[in-house]
Every structure is written in structure tokens, then in C-alpha cells.
Amino acid sequence: MRRYRNWIILAVVAALVVVSVFFIYPPGEKTKLGLDLQGGVEVVYRATTADGKAPSQEQLDQTIAIIDRRINQYGVAESQVQQQGTDQIAVALPGIADPDQALAVIGKTAQLEFFEDYDDVRLVAGAPSREAALKQAARVGVPKADIEKLRAGADNTKRYALVVAPPGTLGNDADLWFLYKRPPAMTGDAIESAKQSFDQNGRPNVEFTLTDEGAKLFQKITAKLYDEGLFQGEAQTFAIVLDNVMASDPRIDYTDPELADGIAGGQAEITGDFTVQEAKDLALVLNTGALPVTLEAAYQQQVSATLGKDSLRAALIAGLAGLGLVLVFMLVFYRFLGLVADIALVVYGIYLWGLYCAIPVTLTLPGIAGAILTIGMAADANVVVFERIKEEVRRGKTVRSAVNSGFARGFLTILDANILTMLTAGVLFVFATQQVKGFALTLIIGTIVSMFTAVLAIQALLGVLSEFRFFRNPAFMGLTSAQIATGAGDEDETPPAARRGRPPAAPEAAAETAGARAPAAPARRPSTAKKKRKRR
């Protein structure tokens, strides 16, 4: 297995190249550029409080912070969120293929509610249409004013909530409508954090952690449902509703004695007919919390690039020119080793671009500068290793042995330098402004990728090449015959005893040994001849 290790690594490297190309193609659609290079969408919101008044400065600052977190978690870097006037917030979004989807997430105030499915709380259960649910509501005594408001398009009144269960939520093939009495048993304020995950069947879901108070309330609710199920002999349910859409209706198993005291621990999940993106959006909204104000879009417009295509073209030319100069330098100075390094740099570039598209990273001009800088860092790692290899060859080692020793000696140097670079970039990312963060992020990603290509990929490639006879010629590494001869000569002058790990004898001791052995030499020759005659 060890014999084929290098071939396996190269196969993995090639597979990752294919995966990277998949994320890159088509580059015009999957490469995201910032506002300074391609422009984007700008939306100006008017903020009001729940009672329709102008928000305070503290409320505006909190809203701006929440929107900024939502945008960054959504994958849109280099955005601009700023206050305009006393009650407006301007949001500029670069690199968004679907602005409506992003705007829906940014300005959404999620209302997560938990309703118990008791008959005195769930007044209408499973009506086939909205109108049918309202007719049933009238028959159970819901006031006419509330029914008319719901019929006019509202989903909520002060006392009631009209909820729809989409197909698949309850095993249903079509929408089912429910009417619940307010207030709910619990709201989303009880949630501390949320994340997108997968259930045991591999379906996307949302896992969330409750606050201390929320965990106590949730345990109380589930304990009550357990007792009711035990009394009626039927499992009781409670509806998890997000913005009047039922996400799940889990059951409390009254036959499980472990649930007699309710569900403790503060951990729960929302399951339903989610796509991965829908689950991520739900977790995102729950995780960042509800906005303290109501946002209404005042206007939306397209914004042009602040730098434009000329700056992008100049940045790309600079990047390609820098890459080209590095490729030529490595090829001229290190010969065949330089060719190997050039192949690794091309692979590095594909990996880096693929990662930018997969994350995704929105590239601005500072971000492109960080990516160009990492090209030199990737080449620097190759230089460290190649110089070590050449040094080992000068000492008389074979090429295969020199490759192993060179990587072993150069790895720690490369690791130390890259760790220091990432620490510096990390400080910039945490404390710097938005554009400098883009530079730091691309620098960190490039440094990690360069470690992989410079150490693992090149070592495997050189290990495979060292098995071929043509690669054993040290001249392939840029060493002249005079350098090789000098190294070999110096190695040959080393006494054999020293090469075997024993200290060489002193000159006087050597002379005495030679003198003592000289007379004994003729005495051994007849003896040897006699033995030979006896054998015959």
C-alpha cells in the first residue's frame, strides 16, 4: 500500500481539480464580484416601530447590526449597510443572482410560534381551503370582525392565527388550513441559536437550542401534552408555526415513561419538507433574531460599479503577469523541478478559484490583491523545498533520498511561515474594515491551499518521478556538473570509517598500524596458498 501512496495522492489531487472546475464553470455566472467591480442592488428601507412611530437611534443601530450579520451569513461579502436620515437604512448587495430572495431574508421578521393542539386552542383543524376554514370558524363562534379581517387577506388578528400546512407537512397531498387561538404557548424568543442540519433519514432540518427560560417552558408544555395523551389514550401534538406556515406537528409519545416530565435539555429540531436552502434560510432568520423595527422598502435600484471593468481588467492582467513571471522564473532556475512547480501552481490556481466559487467569496479589488499575493507565497514554499533538495544532492545523496530529506527539512519552515501569515491575516479580518477583510479572507484561503499543493501534491509528484531513471540525473535540478563533482569529491574524501559512523584514526596511529601489518603480510601468503592446494 505504501508503494502506491503517491499514486493515490495524485489521483485525489486530479479528482479535486475536476471538482474545482465543476464549481468554476461557467465562470461568468459563478464568480461573484463586489460592488466596486460589478455593481449590484441597493434598497432603501423606511423603519417604523410597532406603534408606527419613528425608531430611536439605538433601535436603528441594532437593526443595522442584525442586517449586516444576515447578509454576511447569507454568503454576500463586501456589502454596505448604512443609515440615511433619521428613519432610513440603505442596503447595497453585490453579487446577488436573486435579489428578491436575499431581500426577503434581510427584511424578514420571523414569527416562530408553538401552538398546542387542544380543541379549545385549535378551533379549526385541516380545512381543505382558506374559505372553508373561515366558514368553520364562524360556526364555532369566532367573531365576525375577525373573520372579515382574515377573509380580506390578513393571517393574524389579536385573538386568532390562520395557519396553513403545505403538502407533505402532515402527510397531506394538498394545503390544509387551521385556526388557532392566541396567544401561542411559546414563541421564537425562547430560541438561543439555530443551525441547518439533516435528520436521520438525510432530509434537511433545523436544529435549535432554547434559552434557560425557554427550556423550562418547553419542558412544561411537553409534560402537559404527555399527561393529556395518557388521559385520553392518544398521542397529543403541538404545531410549530413559522410566519403562519406549519413547519411541523410533532407528537409526544405518552407510552414513553422518559417523557413523563417533559422534554428537557433545551435541544429541539424543526423538521418538514425543506430544501437545504430553505432550511438554511430558516436557521439564519432564527439565529439572528427578529428585527426591533418594521422595515418597508422605500425604493430599490441598480447601482453601477464604483471602479468598473477597466479596474477589473487591470487586476486580472496584473495577476496573470505575476503568475507568468513566477512560472518562467521557476522553470529557468530549477529546470525540471521548476516544471513540476509550475504544474503545482496551475493546480493551486484552479483550487483557489474553485474555493472562491464554492464558499462563495465575493471578490473586490483588495480581495484580488490578496489572491495575487498568495501566488508568490505558493512559489516561496516550492523554493524552500527545492533548495533543500539541491543541498542534499550536493552532499552526494541520490535524487530519491534528496527528495524525502528535502521535504522533511523544509516542511517546518513552510509551516511556521504560513501560520504567521494566517495569524496576521486573522487579526486583519477581525479588526479591520470591510474591504480589508476581503483581502485578509482571500489571503487566509490562499495560504491554506498553497500548503496543500506545495507540500502534499508536489511531494507525491516528485515521489512518482523519482522512480524513473531519467529523473535521477541531478542536472535536471539546475545543478552544474562542477557543483556535482565538488559535492561528490568532498564526499569521497571522507574516510570510510567516518562514513560508517566511527571517528577516523589519528595519523600516528595509522602509521603504526600500517607498520605493524607490513611484516605480517608475507607470512599470510604461503598459508593461503597451502590452503588452496589442500582444497585441490
Side-chain angles (χ1 to χ4, degrees), residues 168 196-206 269-276 279:
Q196 184 270 322
S197 186
F198 295 92
D199 62 16
Q200 59 186 0
N201 297 318
R203 296 175 302 184
N205 68 355
V206 177
E269 65 179 19
I270 301 176
T271 59
D273 190 19
F274 294 127
T275 64
V276 172

Side-chain angles (χ1 to χ4, degrees), residues 33-35 38-42 92-96 99 301-305:
L33 301 177
L35 282 170
Q38 81 169 19
V41 176
E42 182 182 28
L93 304 172
I96 295 295
Q301 66 179 358
Q302 296 289 328
V303 294
S304 59

Side-chain angles (χ1 to χ4, degrees), residues 167-183:
T169 306
L170 306 172
N172 49 315
D173 296 327
D175 288 344
L176 294 177
W177 293 83
F178 300 79
L179 186 69
Y180 288 94
K181 184 183 291 186
R182 290 191 172 281

Side-chain angles (χ1 to χ4, degrees), residues 3-67:
R3 180 181 178 184
Y4 299 105
R5 182 177 68 91
N6 291 329
W7 287 102
I8 294 174
I9 293 175
L10 288 181
V12 173
V13 169
L16 290 176
V17 169
V18 174
V19 173
S20 299
V21 171
F22 170 78
F23 281 111
I24 294 171
Y25 186 82
E29 297 179 6
K30 294 188 176 181
T31 304
K32 296 183 179 296
L33 301 177
L35 282 170
D36 57 348
L37 297 177
Q38 81 169 19
V41 176
E42 182 182 28
V43 182
V44 177
Y45 289 105
R46 180 175 290 105
T48 57
T49 60
D51 54 4
K53 296 181 180 179
S56 64
Q57 185 61 46
E58 181 180 356
Q59 290 175 319
L60 280 177
D61 292 340
Q62 184 180 358
T63 302
I64 290 173
I66 291 175
I67 291 176

Side-chain angles (χ1 to χ4, degrees), residues 65-302:
I66 291 175
I67 291 176
D68 189 51
R69 288 198 303 270
R70 288 183 177 181
I71 293 173
N72 289 333
Q73 291 185 27
Y74 191 68
V76 182
E78 312 297 342
S79 58
Q80 296 180 6
V81 183
Q82 55 189 3
Q83 180 179 342
Q84 285 188 359
T86 58
D87 63 346
Q88 291 186 342
I89 298 174
V91 182
L93 304 172
I96 295 295
D98 186 1
D100 293 335
Q101 179 189 8
L103 296 177
V105 174
I106 291 168
K108 194 174 186 179
T109 303
Q111 295 294 332
L112 181 66
E113 299 169 313
F114 298 80
F115 289 98
E116 298 165 323
D117 286 333
Y118 300 132
D119 290 341
D120 59 341
V121 176
R122 188 176 64 183
L123 304 180
V124 175
S129 65
R130 185 186 183 101
E131 185 60 32
L134 295 178
K135 289 180 179 179
Q136 290 186 32
R139 289 196 292 268
V140 297
V142 175
K144 184 176 180 181
D146 290 294
I147 292 177
E148 291 301 324
K149 187 174 182 180
L150 294 173
R151 183 172 280 122
D155 292 326
N156 299 287
T157 66
K158 290 184 178 181
R159 291 180 289 179
Y160 302 98
L162 188 60
V163 176
V164 60
T169 306
L170 306 172
N172 49 315
D173 296 327
D175 288 344
L176 294 177
W177 293 83
F178 300 79
L179 186 69
Y180 288 94
K181 184 183 291 186
R182 290 191 172 281
M186 193 170 73
T187 67
D189 293 337
I191 294 179
E192 182 177 279
S193 63
K195 66 177 181 178
Q196 184 270 322
S197 186
F198 295 92
D199 62 16
Q200 59 186 0
N201 297 318
R203 296 175 302 184
N205 68 355
V206 177
E207 297 179 350
F208 61 91
T209 301
L210 298 165
T211 62
D212 292 339
E213 292 298 323
K216 294 177 183 178
L217 181 59
F218 189 69
Q219 183 176 3
K220 181 180 178 181
I221 293 171
T222 51
K224 181 180 177 183
L225 291 170
Y226 176 89
D227 293 337
E228 186 70 20
L230 195 63
F231 176 75
Q232 297 189 10
E234 182 180 359
Q236 300 298 301
T237 62
F238 65 96
I240 301 176
V241 179
L242 179 70
D243 290 334
N244 295 83
V245 177
M246 187 179 297
S248 182
D249 196 48
R251 296 175 179 273
I252 302 300
D253 186 4
Y254 70 94
T255 62
D256 187 355
E258 294 183 359
L259 300 179
D261 296 327
I263 299 176
Q267 302 286 334
E269 65 179 19
I270 301 176
T271 59
D273 190 19
F274 294 127
T275 64
V276 172
Q277 187 60 50
E278 289 170 345
K280 286 182 178 180
D281 288 345
L282 171 56
L284 170 64
V285 174
L286 297 179
N287 213 20
T288 54
L291 296 176
V293 298
T294 301
L295 295 180
E296 180 183 357
Y299 63 89
Q300 172 182 331
Q301 66 179 358
Q302 296 289 328

